[in-house]
Amino acid sequence: MTLEIASVLTILVIAVFFFVTEKIRMDVVALAVLSILAVTRLVSPEVALGGFSNPAVITVWAMFILSAGLSAAGIDDLIGRQILKVSGKSETGLILAIMLTTGFLSAFMSNIGVAALMLPVVIELARKTRTSPAQLLMPMAFASLLGGLTTLIGTPPNLVASNALEEAGREPFSLFEFAPIGVPALIMGTLFMAFIGRRLLPRDLPERFKEEWQEDEFTFAYSIEDQNLRLQVTDDSPFVGATLEQTRLGPLLGFHVNAIDRNGTLISNLDGNTVLHKDDRLIVQGKVADFEAFRKWQAFELANGTEIAELLSYKKLVLISASIKPGSNLEGLTVSESDFRSRFEGLLLSIRDDDGVKRSNLGEHRFKGGDRLQIEIKKESLEEFSDSGQFEDIEFIAEESLGDIFTDADALLEMSIPAESHLTGLHLRETGLADDLNLRVVAIGRKPESLIFPGGEEKLLEGDKLLIHGNRKSIALIRGLQSLVIENAEDISTPAFMTEQDHCEVTLSPQSSLSGKTLKQINFRNRYGLQVESIWRRDRSYRSYLRNMTLEFGDALLLSGPKERIDELDDDKDFLLLTRSHREAGKAPSAKNAMIAGAIMIGVVAAILTGFLSVAIASVVGATLMILVRCLSIEDAYRSIDWKAVFLIACMIPLGAAMNDTGAASWLAKGVAAAAKPFGPWGLLIGLYIMTSLATTIVPTAALIVIMATMGIDASAEFGIDPKWVVLAIAMSASASFISPISHPSNVLVMGPGGYRFVDYMKVGILLVIVIMATVLPMIWFLS
């Protein structure tokens, strides 16, 4: 083994490690691989950057735009009507029609684009035929993957595999060269799901729907544990004149305010700026037990103003000021990112920078050299703080300056929370004390030893007493919540106050910018004018304290609000509107646009088949025409591209080149060939297929294809067989990602709407992988 081979293999092993552990985003890992290959001169600069101009990469992003153009043209409604005509209402007929239609579309569109297009169609078909969505959605997702096996442009791994052949000096695949193997795989997979696989899927209607169908619609289920309550704002309540946002009913109690009864008039069009009046009756949804427990909270004021410093000194805490030292490794980090409280065992009171003094929302402040901090800190931690090398000009705060830190509005509180409170067992960061009440927990009184400056991961236990630094506004807020009066809750039924509202179910679209953000960060209610009633995730419904939940791809959200605001979701690129409780004639899809988009796609295929244009050029021309004829805007075109996939492929292509040029691929191939030699060419084919199939559950398929195809081409030479068939088998195996929801975005997309569990994918997926392997390998052997 040469030094160059060892270097390339080391880079490969490190990249696979980070792909598997996901400690770093996969596209960033790929960029790092490209950079290292270029810096170490394992590839030339031209080869390192050549991936971005590679025809396979260009075809991938162009196909995303073509798929988006077809979807935007409104073909989904036309598809839904035709499927229902052909299949009737039997489950077997529906699955056959849905999978074959999805597979056909996926042959010419991106897998995830087809899955996103078909998701609302399938949900609507489930509603009309009174079939559980779980019986139809997973077959649809799997069909979007199977359809990609039938053509060169059906899925990015096919394009990458073809490129690997071309880079090795072989003839690349033609457009339909996959079809003789891919089409039988699609047919066998469809038959398996229609007659066997569906019997392994959940048959019951997901719990988030009532098992009640009404003529042409079904009714959404509201909370089983939650109740409809009416809370009265009394004459002397601190909430008179306050906005709904200021009451913190949602963040602190998990309550959804659905309407306000004001002097007999129901007001249901609410947002965070709605002002409360005396004698308002808030009609809310929530848990009575949580409200009753909150009313037992006891907050005693121990000190206020400058008295706080004196009381803190008894707790062995001191007040200091310090500046961030220029060059400190804190520079560029936010307070939250630096984990300041745990790292330095100190509590930030304020930060003074060029913009002035900040006392609230400090967690979002980004440190820079020269920032002046005021800190409460343990006496015994002072020496370590000074020796950290991160600060300068450290000094104690003089007594005469205490008034600038602790005003008369500040207070030091002791708060007792009853054992039955919902806060018991929560991490401090989850309680909302800091974010929603602006309270900072200085210490937790707990036997046998109290905790000073507990971190956000500290769990609250039964019997804890909290020493809290806050202000009198926070106390007033607690008193205001406790002053609300529950009245005649039992006579409130959902239809009584929801007649002006619509309800819908949505999921995040593949291109959504909201994944990884909380409802609070999105400012959801004010931004969309809608209330999130529940979030369905991994076979579980979350109905309370949703504000701080991080949205994930695959979540299903139940929303309520004015019909016109839900209508706007049809055009929102962050969501896919699955279904709604009141259906009115919406915008009819444009038959003209659908015909134009279809004609463009047919033209692209014809240009490739006749050899008039290469695959890449035909795809770019088609994508450009989609924009020019206004099937979609240029902004939507950019948004439709999965840039993570594009960068991943473009950056991994140089790794394949490095494996070839240095001899690393040949070195690995000899090892594989030696292991497979006792079993002959058939053993090599099966071995590579199984290796790829297992690896695709943990390694991104585009990166995997680069590695396996490069190795497979060299290994095939050892047995004297055409490398085309080996590469084709590897591409087929990499695209047959059925075993887990995280194997492919199409699988994740249907997980929430279908109410699937991880084990559902394993039960069906493992058998389907075996069926596809038993179809693909004999066909390859027969045709070769």
Side-chain angles (χ1 to χ4, degrees):
M1 181 189 295
T2 67
L3 178 61
E4 286 185 330
I5 291 176
S7 299
V8 171
L9 292 180
T10 301
I11 293 170
L12 174 61
V13 169
I14 293 172
V16 171
F17 170 79
F18 283 111
F19 284 141
V20 173
T21 60
E22 298 182 346
K23 291 180 180 292
I24 303 175
R25 278 178 44 150
M26 63 182 183
D27 48 340
V28 177
V29 173
L31 278 167
V33 168
L34 182 151
S35 301
I36 294 170
L37 289 172
V39 170
T40 56
R41 307 292 176 88
L42 289 169
V43 296
S44 67
E46 293 76 19
V47 173
L49 300 177
F52 291 97
S53 61
N54 189 283
V57 175
I58 292 170
T59 304
V60 168
W61 63 252
M63 290 306 301
F64 278 120
I65 297 175
L66 281 167
S67 299
L70 286 167
S71 179
I75 65 171
D76 52 342
D77 187 69
L78 301 174
I79 292 170
R81 290 203 298 266
Q82 294 306 314
I83 288 177
L84 200 56
K85 280 183 184 178
V86 172
S87 68
K89 294 188 176 182
S90 74
E91 286 185 9
T92 301
L94 279 170
I95 291 174
L96 288 170
I98 288 170
M99 290 192 69
L100 291 175
T101 302
T102 303
F104 174 76
L105 292 173
S106 192
F108 306 102
M109 297 171 62
S110 71
N111 304 139
I112 186 62
V114 173
L117 172 74
M118 291 296 294
L119 180 57
V121 173
V122 174
I123 289 286
E124 183 67 5
L125 287 171
R127 180 189 66 81
K128 287 181 176 178
T129 59
R130 290 153 174 80
T131 303
S132 171
Q135 287 283 295
L136 305 178
L137 287 175
M138 191 182 291
M140 179 274 290
F142 287 171
S144 73
L145 304 182
L146 290 169
L149 304 179
T150 59
T151 66
L152 174 63
I153 60 176
T155 184
N158 292 358
L159 291 163
V160 177
S162 181
N163 179 74
L165 276 177
E166 191 170 12
E167 293 288 329
R170 303 282 180 166
E171 186 73 21
F173 292 117
S174 62
L175 180 62
F176 286 111
E177 199 159 356
F178 286 82
I181 299 167
V183 171
L186 171 62
I187 293 171
M188 292 302 295
T190 299
L191 292 173
F192 168 79
M193 291 302 300
F195 294 101
I196 299 175
R198 71 181 178 88
R199 301 182 189 280
L200 303 175
L201 294 173
R203 299 193 62 82
D204 296 332
L205 197 65
E207 290 180 16
R208 67 185 186 281
F209 300 134
K210 283 183 178 177
E211 295 188 47
E212 176 185 353
W213 300 81
Q214 299 177 351
E215 293 184 0
D216 211 20
E217 65 180 73
F218 57 79
T219 306
F220 288 94
Y222 291 91
S223 177
I224 297 169
E225 297 176 331
D226 295 0
Q227 293 176 249
N228 294 319
L229 313 173
R230 184 181 280 128
L231 302 177
Q232 181 186 4
V233 180
T234 58
D235 292 355
D236 57 350
S237 171
F239 285 167
V240 175
T243 65
L244 274 179
E245 181 73 20
Q246 291 168 338
T247 66
R248 321 307 287 165
L249 273 166
L252 287 174
L253 296 177
F255 281 0
H256 301 321
V257 182
N258 292 315
I260 296 177
D261 182 352
R262 181 171 294 161
N263 299 323
T265 301
L266 276 178
I267 304 171
S268 59
N269 190 7
L270 308 175
D271 59 32
N273 296 317
T274 301
V275 177
L276 301 183
H277 297 181
K278 68 178 181 178
D279 291 328
D280 275 352
R281 270 75 172 172
L282 309 182
I283 300 175
V284 305
Q285 203 170 22
K287 296 183 177 70
V288 176
D290 282 356
F291 181 64
E292 294 294 357
F294 181 83
R295 295 177 74 171
K296 296 177 184 176
W297 282 24
Q298 296 179 348
F300 302 103
E301 185 173 320
L302 303 176
N304 65 76
T306 57
E307 296 173 354
I308 295 174
E310 182 179 351
L311 187 57
L312 288 175
S313 68
Y314 294 134
K315 302 287 184 181
K316 299 182 180 181
L317 304 176
V318 293
L319 301 172
I320 63 171
S321 61
S323 298
I324 299 292
K325 192 175 184 178
S328 164
N329 58 27
L330 293 176
E331 285 190 298
L333 297 178
T334 65
V335 173
S336 297
E337 291 169 344
S338 71
D339 197 20
F340 191 94
R341 178 185 293 211
S342 300
R343 183 174 175 183
F344 300 107
E345 296 188 303
L347 183 65
L348 268 177
L349 301 175
S350 68
I351 300 174
R352 187 176 71 242
D353 61 8
D354 296 337
D355 298 324
V357 178
K358 299 178 182 177
R359 300 182 186 277
S360 59
N361 299 321
L362 297 182
E364 300 172 4
H365 176 82
R366 198 168 293 280
F367 287 125
K368 53 184 179 295
D371 283 354
R372 191 68 178 169
L373 317 180
Q374 292 181 324
I375 307 163
E376 290 175 1
I377 193 170
K378 295 179 183 179
K379 287 181 182 178
E380 62 265 29
S381 301
L382 264 176
E383 184 176 352
E384 187 177 347
F385 180 88
S386 301
D387 294 341
S388 68
Q390 309 302 319
F391 308 97
E392 60 184 8
D393 301 330
I394 302 170
E395 56 187 29
F396 291 100
I397 296 176
E399 187 174 343
E400 57 269 19
S401 301
L402 293 177
D404 296 331
I405 302 173
F406 301 118
T407 66
D408 290 339
D410 289 309
L412 195 67
L413 313 171
E414 181 181 288
M415 181 176 289
S416 298
I417 301 174
E420 63 268 25
S421 171
H422 74 277
L423 297 183
T424 302
L426 290 184
H427 298 285
L428 266 180
R429 60 176 172 76
E430 298 172 327
T431 63
L433 291 173
D435 294 336
D436 301 312
L437 284 172
N438 200 26
L439 299 173
R440 290 173 290 193
V441 179
V442 177
I444 298 177
R446 177 185 297 167
K447 295 179 180 180
E449 186 177 355
S450 296
L451 301 175
I452 306 297
F453 298 135
E457 297 302 315
E458 186 64 39
K459 277 189 176 182
L460 294 183
L461 305 179
E462 183 177 339
D464 281 350
K465 290 188 176 181
L466 311 183
L467 182 65
I468 293 175
H469 180 201
N471 57 60
R472 290 175 173 174
K473 286 184 179 179
S474 300
I475 299 174
L477 177 56
I478 294 173
R479 299 284 185 265
L481 287 168
Q482 292 175 332
S483 72
L484 295 173
V485 176
I486 298 179
E487 59 175 36
N488 60 328
E490 298 300 327
D491 65 347
I492 305 174
S493 59
T494 299
F497 60 85
M498 302 299 280
T499 53
E500 298 179 19
Q501 292 192 323
D502 200 354
H503 300 81
C504 70
E505 186 185 24
V506 300
T507 190
L508 298 185
S509 72
Q511 290 80 37
S512 178
S513 61
L514 305 183
S515 180
K517 297 179 181 178
T518 65
L519 295 177
K520 176 184 176 182
Q521 291 170 330
I522 299 167
N523 194 17
F524 192 93
R525 184 158 190 168
N526 287 339
R527 178 173 174 179
Y528 293 100
L530 298 168
Q531 177 71 45
V532 181
E533 301 287 353
S534 66
I535 297 176
W536 185 270
R537 176 182 298 167
R538 300 186 189 95
D539 196 38
R540 180 181 172 187
S541 178
Y542 297 86
R543 305 178 189 276
S544 302
Y545 311 103
L546 304 178
R547 182 178 171 85
N548 293 316
M549 276 190 70
T550 301
L551 295 180
E552 297 178 4
F553 188 50
D555 286 346
L557 283 68
L558 179 62
L559 309 179
S560 66
K563 296 179 178 64
E564 60 272 14
R565 298 308 295 267
I566 289 189
D567 288 339
E568 294 172 6
L569 292 178
D570 270 325
D571 300 318
D572 194 291
K573 304 303 179 184
D574 285 313
F575 295 107
L576 295 175
L577 183 58
L578 302 180
T579 191
R580 59 193 300 175
S581 55
H582 298 95
R583 293 174 185 81
E584 298 173 355
K587 295 183 295 183
S590 170
K592 178 183 176 182
N593 279 356
M595 289 178 62
I596 292 173
I600 291 172
M601 194 70 226
I602 291 170
V604 169
V605 173
I608 297 171
L609 281 176
T610 58
F612 179 70
L613 295 174
S614 68
V615 175
I617 297 300
S619 302
V620 171
V621 170
T624 304
L625 288 173
M626 286 286 188
I627 297 167
L628 289 176
V629 300
R630 298 186 179 179
C631 285
L632 78 167
S633 66
I634 185 66
E635 290 80 12
D636 289 340
Y638 284 129
R639 188 179 179 124
S640 69
I641 299 171
D642 184 351
W643 292 107
K644 185 185 293 186
V646 170
F647 270 75
L648 178 64
I649 297 170
C651 294
M652 291 303 291
I653 285 175
L655 179 60
M659 290 178 66
N660 270 325
D661 295 344
T662 62
S666 179
W667 187 85
L668 288 173
K670 287 178 181 177
V672 172
K677 192 170 184 179
F679 307 99
W682 184 246
L684 175 68
L685 207 60
I686 294 175
L688 289 175
Y689 190 100
I690 294 174
M691 283 174 59
T692 305
S693 184
L694 293 175
T696 196
T697 62
I698 55 176
V699 180
T701 52
L704 182 63
I705 282 289
V706 171
I707 299 166
M708 296 299 295
T710 305
M711 186 171 62
I713 290 170
D714 283 355
S716 63
E718 298 289 325
F719 287 86
I721 58 176
D722 190 342
K724 176 178 73 174
W725 300 109
V726 175
V727 173
L728 195 148
I730 290 170
M732 292 277 180
S733 179
S735 297
S737 309
F738 311 120
I739 295 176
S740 86
I742 60 174
S743 294
H744 195 278
S746 293
N747 296 345
V748 181
L749 183 67
V750 300
M751 190 175 188
Y756 297 120
R757 300 165 298 163
F758 195 96
V759 70
D760 293 325
Y761 288 88
M762 292 192 67
K763 284 192 302 184
V764 181
I766 291 174
L767 291 177
L768 183 56
V769 165
I770 295 171
V771 168
I772 299 305
M773 183 172 70
T775 303
V776 167
L777 293 180
M779 288 298 300
I780 289 176
W781 193 256
F782 174 75
L783 293 172
S784 63

